Amino acid sequence: MMQQYLALKAEADDCLLFYRMGDFFELFHDDAKIAAACLDIALTARGEHEGAKIPMCGVPVHSAEGYLARLIKAGHRVAIAEQVESPEEAKKARGSKALVARAIVRVVTAGTLTEEALLDARAANWCVAIGEAAGGVAIAAADVSTGKFEVIETDAAGLTAALARLQPVEVVAADAGGFAEVATCLRGRGDFDSSAGEARLKALHGVATLDGFGQFSRAALAAAGGLIAYLDHTARGQLPFLRPPVCAADGQCMAIDAATRESLELTRTAAGARAGSLLAEVDRTVTGAGARLLAGDIAAPLMDRAAIEARLAAVNWAHDDPGLRDELRTTLRALPDIGRALGRIAAGRGSPRDLGQLRDGLGAALALGQRLDKLTAVPALIADLAPRLRGHGELIDLLTRGLVPMPPIDASAGGYVASGFDAALDALRDTGAGGRRAIAALEAEYRERTGIAALKIRHNGVLGYHVEVPARSADRLMAADSGFTHRQTLAGVVRFNAPDLHEAALKVTQAGAHALAAEAAHLEAFTEAALANREGIAATADALARIDATTALAERAAEGGWSRPTLVDHSCLEIVGGRHPVVESAVAKSGGRFVANDCRLSESSRLWLVTGPNMGGKSTFLRQNALIVVLAQAGSFVPATSATLGLVDRLFSRVGASDNLARGRSTFMVEMVETAAILAQATARSFVILDEVGRGTSTYDGLAIAWAVVEAIHEDNRCRCLFATHYHELTRLAERCDALSLHHVRAREWKGDLVLLHELADGPADRSYGIAVARLAGLPPATLQRAKAVLAKLEAGKAKTGGIAAGLDDLPLFAAVAQVEETPVDTLREVLGGMDVDAMSPREAMEALYRLKGLV
């Protein structure tokens, strides 16, 4: 047995091996130590191997899913080794002492899960492969729980942003490639061959050409091939359902880098939680599929104005008809997740209950489609979705007639095919029921004949049906003429058989076995019928998700008094009464009122310099405008009285920073890296929010950097930008930069206390109120007095010298001095450094000397 285990373990490679032994999955050696610690279960020992005790632990098969979930969450991969023959088959084939054959039937990883209990119903479960070829980079991403399949053309610089959007649970890359740092699993380079990838894609979808799916670069084919090979490896030849790949065109979505996503907390907070993010605040979906779709919409705001307007029109339609919205949401709330049910069925892990979910979900979708057909003035997006809700009548009828109303999860015990669907099956069930009635009658007859009131007829997997009596009454049945045959003696009870019981039991057993076989055949037929229409079912699931996301956004807009944004072709951002949705909710819960503010960026005023005290609301103002842009281009109403914007191609946020010790970066270094990315990538159509650039270093260095960054954004990038700062010296730039305007968050001191008004006003702040904020924070009075004395001294010196920005007015603007400094080149030193003197012949040394003399 241990030899078989070790052979399977070698095949499992770096996975933990679940080795099936009867009703348990057992783990041995180091796997047992790891699993016992992770699962908090007992670690025991079994036998010896090479003179040492074998560590061992196990989990019951019937509850294995829960243990798998914990192992996968802890970052482990698990190979499942199942018994692929029965003990009887093993004995018949190889003798009485033959070991039951086992084989790895599946490798369970974070990105290949389909089980309902192991997945988050409201989050997509992306498995990603990175492909490289011909100097290009691409990503292939699949959610095997629903069959979604995307191919994203990118480059090395855009890879991080693409991964940040998808938030994959598993990343696969070639072991010889350049992306091992971001990968969770490395595979052989052969899996990522572009020619093999093209062949795999064609074979997967049964096509002779990929032209119908779009144009694929060699890198895209390499990524898709690598992903399919990995999924085939983990599924052991039972590939999950993958829909035709969707090619993501460059510029189709707003570009948002990983730092900006983290800063704005779009779908996760900085701590990694969903609660507190923009998504959590907006999400009013009533289905898991709708929640997953909405998360994808917010993670990838659109750049296609027509597509955005279509989404907005649908939200507006649902917003303006509360009665219809409530009706649709009530219907959707009762729907099962048919997309994931289909994924389990296609992966070979479906159950009768999954088929029942398809029946119920498709039936409700059909009724919903018929309801939508009766409506007038339906927006184009909803009108396009309605036909996808229909077309499954034949499958719905088959599953309605064939399945019981509440099918079980476990098919092994039968009982899921409805009565009246198959007359032969009904007859077998009647035979079995008749046999069971006969057995019940025999029990009563035996009690009367023997006079043993405690006599019972029982059943188990070893003896089958048998008579069981207390040990004290067994003598009567032990008599030779009793008609009973002794089978087994246990503590307190004795078991017997009888000819007439055996005959009745045989009828029950045979009828039951034949009934199970008949039901299994029907289950296979039902499954084939569902898979034959899997593309249509997936399209229906998508349509239901879009209706849910649309009505959810309408519900959120109605709750918060949000307004429909207006999209224009020119570059602007005009927001009246804008609010931060997450902060507004938090303030409302504490009984306060959020102070709304306007933002009017235009060609003549595209860069706002915002000053004011800490805690005055600068960062909130910056973030809320970025979030409004995200929501608008995702197709949502926005938390504002009105909003008009030109489409934003790239969104950048440098608000707050923390160090990255693992990569050797200080807080200031992280800040500079993010700022450098903005200056290198922002275009005239981008929107940038910058908060306290330069604060992580000395005052002079910080002011110099902030000054140069403001000039660069104004003169070179020419994008819409909100720039918050405590460097009041920067306000001088308003005299020299025609598109820069000054604003501040209002604050007042009243009877020695600082009152933060959180209102934005024109012009610069009169002072920073830093000591007043320190008082609010609870600094000791003595420390505050000392700070005031030091401040007075500093301000006196500042008045005499003209301040730390003295003389900057004489500098030319950024564009006039933005020439790349040339590094002096010492040619003589370079040549000398490249010489290998020890390897020179005398003649070569003489020639080198003359060459050096010539350089001098």
Side-chain angles (χ1 to χ4, degrees):
M1 186 274 286
M2 192 49 60
Q3 288 180 343
Q4 184 189 67
Y5 169 83
L6 292 173
L8 291 169
K9 177 58 184 173
E11 185 183 342
D13 196 20
D14 61 344
C15 300
L16 302 178
L17 181 63
F18 268 32
Y19 182 85
R20 178 73 178 266
M21 293 181 67
D23 293 332
F24 280 79
F25 283 122
E26 304 289 2
L27 299 98
F28 300 100
H29 297 290
D30 289 343
D31 285 4
K33 296 177 183 178
I34 293 169
C38 182
L39 301 176
D40 193 24
I41 57 178
L43 180 67
T44 61
R46 174 190 176 119
E48 291 187 356
H49 179 67
E50 296 180 351
K53 290 282 188 180
I54 302 173
M56 170 185 170
C57 68
V59 300
V61 171
H62 67 84
S63 58
E65 276 192 1
Y67 294 105
L68 274 174
R70 291 165 64 183
L71 289 171
I72 297 301
K73 190 174 182 180
H76 299 292
R77 303 163 72 237
V78 181
I80 306 292
E82 281 281 8
Q83 297 174 181
V84 293
E85 63 179 356
S86 68
E88 291 74 19
E89 290 171 332
K91 290 176 183 177
K92 184 176 180 181
R94 297 183 299 279
S96 60
K97 295 185 178 180
L99 183 66
V100 173
R102 293 174 176 85
I104 295 176
V105 297
R106 181 188 174 198
V107 177
V108 184
T109 70
T112 59
L113 300 174
T114 58
E115 288 83 352
E116 193 172 10
L118 305 185
L119 291 168
D120 181 353
R122 304 186 74 79
N125 200 65
W126 291 108
C127 181
V128 161
I130 304 171
E132 305 170 75
V137 180
I139 291 174
D143 183 346
V144 301
S145 69
T146 59
K148 288 190 174 181
F149 190 10
E150 291 186 13
V151 176
I152 304 166
E153 298 276 0
T154 182
D155 52 32
L159 177 69
T160 304
L163 292 176
R165 172 176 77 83
L166 293 169
Q167 294 182 340
V169 296
E170 195 167 8
V171 179
V172 185
D175 54 10
F179 298 103
E181 185 178 349
V182 297
T184 59
C185 178
L186 297 175
R187 301 281 296 164
R189 183 66 192 169
D191 285 354
F192 293 84
D193 178 76
S194 58
S195 299
E198 182 177 6
R200 289 191 187 107
L201 266 179
K202 289 177 179 177
L204 176 65
H205 296 290
V207 295
T209 175
L210 300 176
D211 293 345
F213 300 149
Q215 297 299 314
F216 295 89
S217 67
R218 285 187 59 197
L221 292 172
L227 181 60
I228 294 171
Y230 179 68
L231 295 178
D232 190 48
H233 162 73
T234 58
R236 285 301 194 263
Q238 179 74 37
L239 257 178
F241 169 45
L242 291 180
R243 299 165 70 179
V246 176
C247 298
D250 189 33
Q252 182 177 338
C253 300
M254 181 194 297
I256 310 175
D257 61 28
T260 299
R261 291 180 188 277
E262 183 177 355
S263 170
L264 295 178
E265 300 182 313
L266 296 183
T267 58
R268 290 286 187 274
T269 64
R274 191 178 192 271
S277 67
L278 174 65
L279 173 62
E281 184 54 45
V282 171
D283 189 2
R284 297 295 184 272
T285 55
V286 294
T287 69
R292 298 192 295 270
L293 180 62
L294 181 60
D297 289 348
I298 289 177
L302 298 176
M303 281 299 296
D304 183 339
R305 181 175 170 183
I308 299 170
E309 293 284 13
R311 287 185 186 177
L312 289 173
V315 174
N316 199 97
W317 166 78
H319 176 272
D320 292 348
D321 192 339
L324 176 63
R325 184 173 74 245
D326 288 345
E327 179 187 342
L328 294 177
R329 285 168 60 78
T330 299
T331 300
L332 291 167
R333 189 177 282 109
L335 291 182
D337 195 335
I338 61 174
R340 284 193 164 168
L342 176 64
R344 289 189 291 273
I345 292 169
R349 294 188 280 275
S351 68
R353 191 180 73 167
D354 290 320
L355 288 168
Q357 288 185 342
L358 289 189
R359 173 198 62 198
D360 299 340
L362 294 176
L366 175 61
L368 185 60
Q370 292 169 343
R371 174 72 177 92
L372 293 175
D373 287 340
K374 297 176 183 177
L375 301 175
T376 57
V378 175
L381 179 61
I382 301 298
D384 289 343
L385 294 175
R388 303 182 201 175
L389 301 175
R390 303 188 298 271
H392 307 292
E394 187 176 341
L395 179 61
I396 295 170
D397 177 66
L398 173 65
L399 297 180
T400 301
R401 290 185 296 106
L403 292 173
V404 297
M406 296 289 290
I409 295 177
D410 184 9
S412 62
Y416 47 85
V417 174
S419 297
F421 179 74
D422 180 350
L425 175 60
D426 290 344
L428 288 171
R429 287 173 171 170
D430 287 343
T431 300
R436 284 189 291 275
R437 286 193 296 271
I439 289 173
L442 276 176
E443 184 180 73
E445 180 187 332
Y446 291 162
R447 285 177 182 171
E448 184 177 351
R449 187 202 309 173
T450 62
I452 304 172
L455 181 148
K456 291 184 177 5
I457 293 180
R458 299 192 181 279
H459 180 275
N460 64 33
V462 177
L463 299 181
Y465 285 98
H466 57 273
V467 174
E468 183 177 284
V469 299
R472 64 179 179 274
S473 305
D475 289 345
R476 294 179 222 176
L477 276 64
M478 287 287 192
D481 58 349
S482 67
F484 294 93
T485 305
H486 175 254
R487 294 296 307 277
Q488 191 177 41
T489 299
L490 300 175
V493 297
V494 182
R495 292 169 174 171
F496 299 86
N497 201 354
D500 45 358
L501 174 60
H502 176 73
E503 185 178 340
L506 191 60
K507 290 181 180 179
V508 172
T509 304
Q510 289 180 339
H514 292 155
L516 285 176
E519 288 203 69
H522 286 308
L523 182 63
E524 186 175 347
F526 296 156
T527 300
E528 289 176 358
L531 293 179
N533 195 29
R534 58 188 179 183
E535 294 293 342
I537 296 171
T540 298
D542 288 349
L544 292 169
R546 177 55 66 192
I547 294 172
D548 185 22
T550 299
T551 54
L553 290 175
E555 183 77 10
R556 184 64 185 90
E559 283 179 15
W562 293 9
S563 62
R564 177 176 177 172
T566 301
L567 305 180
V568 294
D569 292 327
H570 60 279
S571 179
C572 73
L573 183 61
E574 299 175 4
I575 297 170
V576 178
R579 311 184 300 277
H580 191 300
V582 180
V583 176
E584 183 181 26
S585 290
V587 170
K589 287 177 183 176
S590 63
R593 183 182 64 87
F594 186 90
V595 179
N597 281 295
D598 300 346
C599 179
R600 300 179 184 276
L601 300 179
S602 61
E603 284 294 337
S604 60
S605 180
R606 64 177 182 271
L607 173 56
W608 278 23
L609 197 67
V610 183
T611 54
N614 285 312
M615 297 175 61
K618 298 191 301 297
S619 295
T620 298
F621 175 71
L622 267 59
R623 282 190 172 100
Q624 75 188 34
N625 289 293
L627 296 183
I628 286 172
V629 167
V630 168
L631 287 171
Q633 290 187 217
S636 168
F637 281 25
V638 297
T641 303
S642 67
T644 302
L645 69 146
L647 293 185
V648 171
D649 66 345
R650 291 174 176 268
L651 178 65
F652 295 98
S653 169
R654 216 235 62 75
V655 180
S658 58
D659 55 19
N660 190 333
L661 299 179
R663 299 185 65 181
R665 291 178 176 177
S666 66
T667 300
F668 181 66
M669 182 62 174
V670 171
E671 177 185 334
M672 289 299 99
V673 167
E674 294 174 4
T675 304
I678 292 170
L679 296 180
Q681 299 173 36
T683 72
R685 299 181 67 196
S686 300
F687 181 46
V688 176
I689 60 173
L690 290 160
D691 190 12
E692 307 294 354
V693 168
R695 66 181 172 182
T697 186
S698 72
T699 302
Y700 283 98
D701 281 354
L703 174 59
I705 291 169
W707 187 288
V709 169
V710 171
E711 285 189 342
I713 287 175
H714 184 276
E715 298 298 317
D716 286 357
N717 301 103
R718 306 183 71 82
C719 57
R720 289 159 284 181
C721 177
L722 299 176
F723 192 110
T725 185
H726 278 293
Y727 292 129
H728 289 265
E729 293 78 8
L730 295 179
T731 58
R732 297 187 186 184
L733 284 167
E735 302 168 7
R736 314 169 69 203
C737 301
D738 55 3
L740 184 150
S741 61
L742 303 178
H743 305 268
H744 69 279
V745 289
R746 296 180 60 208
R748 289 288 182 270
E749 282 193 279
W750 175 256
K751 295 182 179 180
D753 292 327
L754 179 66
V755 180
L756 301 169
L757 303 176
H758 304 296
E759 294 178 359
L760 201 73
D762 293 338
D766 54 354
R767 53 199 175 96
S768 68
Y769 299 99
I771 292 179
V773 173
R775 183 188 297 113
L776 285 178
L779 254 66
T783 305
L784 291 171
Q785 284 301 115
R786 179 59 177 167
K788 286 181 179 179
V790 173
L791 177 62
K793 197 78 171 176
L794 291 173
E795 287 182 339
K798 178 179 176 181
K800 290 179 182 179
T801 62
I804 63 173
L808 289 182
D809 293 333
D810 298 332
L811 279 175
L813 276 174
F814 180 86
V817 298
Q819 293 147 3
V820 178
E821 294 182 17
E822 293 187 9
T823 304
V825 177
D826 189 338
T827 308
L828 185 63
R829 191 178 297 275
E830 283 190 358
V831 173
L832 278 169
M835 287 183 178
D836 186 358
V837 178
D838 292 334
M840 286 183 177
S841 67
R843 183 178 182 84
E844 289 171 337
M846 182 63 70
E847 289 175 351
L849 184 59
Y850 279 116
R851 192 161 63 251
L852 292 171
K853 185 177 180 182
L855 289 173
V856 171

